[in-house]
Amino acid sequence: MNGHEIIRIDSIKWWMTTLTNGSRHPVPLCPDHDLRLTPIRPRVYNSVQRGYVNGYSEDAVELKCAEGPHKIAIPRTFSDEKQYVVDRVDAEVFKGMKVLNLDDEATPIAKDKIKSKNGKHFLTSQLMESKRGLQAVIYAGKKGSPAKTQILITPEEKRLAFDQKDLHPTEVFLKIEATFDDGSKHSIEK
Ligand SMILES: [Zn+2]
């Protein structure tokens, strides 16, 4: 957004301008005549004067185009609608951004690594604490090879899971079996 774009939202054209303090200020334009639209101040009841008076422009729910003139209704108050336009423009940017999910972040609390006698294969087991509970992660593979298998065991789900991006567990193991505290078992085998 370079400040010279026109965005169409709620059947109105919005010209996105930037104020000197850096904040963005959408200006409504008539979709047919490209004229700036003026908010029509709502009539509000004033209990002191016992009658209807003009309310604030920011509370307007109708905009006026000088050509005609004709009116265009907006689904929110003028002030909320302008914020909505800025939010919609930003949502387009946020949509394309990568998400760093700290909810799923797990902290390692114990780690153990074992090697085969000839040193060619390794197995690392790690105990992780996360918001979703305790989980065990097992990595196994050939030493020096970037390909490995990663098996995730979550006691709550009572099953073995693995990452599709890595080697399938059966490419490393003949059989893996997990036994949970309720006696149930889950295995992956060739
Ligand atoms: Zn118009």
Side-chain angles (χ1 to χ4, degrees):
M1 193 72 32
N2 57 17
H4 300 287
E5 270 181 69
I6 301 279
I7 312 119
R8 198 176 168 113
I9 294 173
D10 292 331
S11 306
I12 295 168
K13 284 181 175 178
W14 296 90
W15 176 41
M16 193 62 94
T17 61
T18 308
L19 304 181
T20 46
N21 66 8
S23 69
R24 288 165 298 165
H25 180 74
V27 176
L29 305 175
C30 174
D32 299 324
H33 306 107
D34 294 297
L35 288 174
R36 282 188 186 84
L37 296 169
T38 318
I40 301 170
R41 291 166 70 181
R43 297 288 288 171
V44 288
Y45 187 76
N46 185 298
S47 54
V48 178
Q49 293 180 31
R50 292 177 177 273
Y52 282 89
V53 294
N54 282 334
Y56 298 110
S57 296
E58 292 298 292
D59 292 335
V61 289
E62 276 186 313
L63 305 174
K64 192 180 87 182
C65 171
E67 202 70 59
H70 66 104
K71 291 176 188 175
I72 298 172
I74 49 173
R76 296 161 194 81
T77 62
F78 187 47
S79 138
D80 285 350
E81 183 72 0
K82 284 186 288 182
Q83 185 57 49
Y84 176 72
V85 170
V86 172
D87 288 344
R88 280 284 302 273
V89 168
D90 286 349
E92 284 301 305
V93 178
F94 298 148
K95 199 165 72 183
M97 285 165 89
K98 214 180 141 188
V99 177
L100 170 66
N101 195 342
L102 292 179
D103 271 355
D104 285 349
E105 193 82 339
T107 322
I109 50 173
K111 192 176 177 175
D112 195 20
K113 189 169 182 170
I114 51 168
K115 272 185 246 170
S116 61
K117 272 181 190 155
N118 60 15
K120 278 186 182 168
H121 295 85
F122 73 90
L123 188 146
T124 306
S125 54
Q126 218 170 348
L127 209 54
M128 315 280 275
E129 182 92 75
S130 78
K131 266 191 187 170
R132 293 179 300 168
L134 203 63
Q135 50 182 226
V137 190
I138 294 164
Y139 302 94
K142 222 174 192 170
K143 214 184 156 208
S145 162
K148 58 172 171 40
T149 188
Q150 189 186 153
I151 303 143
L152 196 76
I153 310 148
T154 314
E156 207 176 55
E157 287 164 29
K158 304 219 186 307
R159 61 187 302 275
L160 295 165
F162 57 89
D163 199 327
Q164 305 281 354
K165 295 193 295 282
D166 298 317
L167 285 181
H168 191 277
T170 58
E171 287 181 67
V172 178
F173 300 104
L174 211 56
K175 183 182 179 180
I176 340 156
E177 189 176 79
T179 309
F180 299 97
D181 60 358
D182 64 348
S184 68
K185 287 175 181 184
H186 185 235
S187 63
I188 301 174
E189 60 186 308
K190 233 172 194 160

